[in-house]
Amino acid sequence: MLVRPLSGNPPKTKLPKGAVDTQMHAYLPGYPSLPGGPGLPAGDLPTPAQYRELMRWLGIDRVIVTQGNAQQRDNSNLNACLAEFGPIARGVCVIDSATSDEELERLAAAGNVGARIMDLPGGAVDLSELEAVDAKAASRNWMVAVQFDGSNILDHEARLKAMKSRWVFDHHGKFFASVTPDSPQVDAVKRLIDGGKCWFKFAGVYESSKAGGPDYADVAAVAREIARYAPERIVWGTNWPHNLAREQKDYPDDVALTDTVLGWFPDEAGRDLALVKNPEELYGLPAWADGRD
């Protein structure tokens, strides 16, 4: 098992009541990996029960479970995990142009509120299906999580601007080529945010940072700029259990990572928006009220 045991002190950053982790994966036995995606780890799987320990440790109240690439277009594991989590969780599943209305109904009944596009190695559905996935998501009032190499966002800006659904630019934009707050790619993100449909997700900083931890200065500079520009359009996620292929020695410290990334907001008000109100709007969650989802 590659999940780091929880120990030590909780984050210095106190998460507000109703905080939502908008990016994580969980797995249950009996759902094998499928061709085209990464394999599952040998031994114990990162389960909903393990993640609940992380929730208590960090102060998370609600969670968005994202379909893992290991199971590609088979959402069975995701649906089982949503049932295991209960009402604190919603899902972002994988659909495509062939997904039937009946299947969409089943996915919605299981607790799914969004669909995933991942145009990177191992992804189940890429940008070639963007319009089809967007149309099906819009028909359900779902959101769409879009992940690709953000260095190429200018090539896709017109298509993204035309989306009918609410959507989030995933994983800090994954700008694999170096960008700065003054880069045209960041200007494109701002224009898309201004269009009224786009959010920006703080999650998985280590996947695109060239500067590396503990500060991730390159991604931090862009994140701070976007958080300053549109604090009402940022959401946050742990990306737990991080990269299942990582060696234990490289496994992120969830407390340090939480404090670092949440420190990029200009103030507490902006951070609290990203943790509660923004994800409620993006994912269509009920307003939090005294522990009730």
Side-chain angles (χ1 to χ4, degrees), residues 144-165:
V144 180
V146 183
Q147 187 176 164
F148 61 93
D149 181 351
S151 309
N152 305 318
I153 192 171
L154 296 174
D155 297 335
H156 306 299
E157 183 178 358
R159 297 174 68 198
L160 295 167
K161 182 179 179 181
M163 288 183 67
K164 302 177 180 66
S165 309

Side-chain angles (χ1 to χ4, degrees), residues 118-121 127 146-156 160 169-179 185 208 210:
M118 184 176 176
D119 198 43
L120 291 167
L127 283 168
V146 183
Q147 187 176 164
F148 61 93
D149 181 351
S151 309
N152 305 318
I153 192 171
L154 296 174
D155 297 335
H156 306 299
L160 295 167
F169 195 19
D170 239 333
H171 281 61
H172 292 280
K174 280 206 170 168
F175 300 108
F176 288 127
S178 297
V179 302
Q185 291 91 339
S208 58
K210 289 182 169 58

Side-chain angles (χ1 to χ4, degrees), residues 32-291:
S33 58
L34 298 176
L40 292 170
D44 294 339
L45 293 170
T47 63
Q50 287 182 331
Y51 177 75
R52 282 184 178 274
E53 292 298 314
L54 184 80
M55 294 181 78
R56 286 189 282 270
W57 200 32
L58 299 185
I60 296 164
D61 289 309
R62 296 178 285 181
V63 60
I64 304 297
V65 188
T66 300
Q67 166 75 348
N69 290 321
Q71 278 100 14
Q72 291 288 286
R73 303 185 189 200
D74 182 347
N75 296 289
S76 301
N77 172 77
L78 170 61
N79 292 340
C81 287
L82 292 174
E84 186 84 4
F85 277 119
I88 65 166
R90 300 291 188 272
V92 173
C93 59
V94 168
I95 62 174
D96 59 24
S97 56
T99 304
S100 67
D101 289 344
E102 292 76 15
E103 179 62 14
L104 289 173
E105 188 66 34
R106 285 191 290 270
L107 290 166
N112 289 287
V113 294
R116 184 181 198 195
I117 293 280
M118 184 176 176
D119 198 43
L120 291 167
V125 175
D126 62 24
L127 283 168
S128 68
E129 295 253 31
L130 178 66
E131 285 78 10
V133 170
D134 176 41
K136 289 180 182 293
S139 74
R140 308 287 317 184
N141 195 29
W142 284 4
M143 56 77 65
V144 180
V146 183
Q147 187 176 164
F148 61 93
D149 181 351
S151 309
N152 305 318
I153 192 171
L154 296 174
D155 297 335
H156 306 299
E157 183 178 358
R159 297 174 68 198
L160 295 167
K161 182 179 179 181
M163 288 183 67
K164 302 177 180 66
S165 309
R166 303 180 306 280
W167 66 279
V168 62
F169 195 19
D170 239 333
H171 281 61
H172 292 280
K174 280 206 170 168
F175 300 108
F176 288 127
S178 297
V179 302
T180 71
D182 298 320
S183 294
Q185 291 91 339
V186 176
D187 290 337
V189 173
K190 292 178 179 178
R191 288 192 296 269
L192 288 165
I193 287 172
D194 289 345
K197 298 285 189 180
C198 176
W199 276 253
F200 190 85
K201 186 188 291 177
F202 284 13
V205 55
Y206 43 77
E207 294 186 356
S208 58
S209 174
K210 289 182 169 58
D215 297 327
Y216 308 101
D218 50 349
V219 175
V222 172
R224 286 191 176 103
E225 174 61 19
I226 296 175
R228 179 203 62 77
Y229 182 78
E232 74 284 358
R233 286 307 178 92
I234 311 296
V235 296
W236 166 83
T238 61
N239 206 37
W240 188 93
H242 310 290
N243 186 337
L244 293 174
R246 286 176 178 268
E247 297 294 333
Q248 185 70 40
K249 63 183 176 61
D250 296 326
Y251 196 87
D253 182 322
D254 284 289
V255 165
L257 196 61
T258 298
D259 281 330
T260 295
V261 174
L262 293 183
W264 296 341
F265 290 94
D267 51 36
E268 184 178 358
R271 187 181 70 232
D272 287 357
L273 276 175
L275 292 171
V276 182
K277 296 299 183 184
N278 296 350
E280 287 177 351
E281 183 177 356
L282 174 60
Y283 294 93
L285 306 178
W288 181 263
D290 298 326

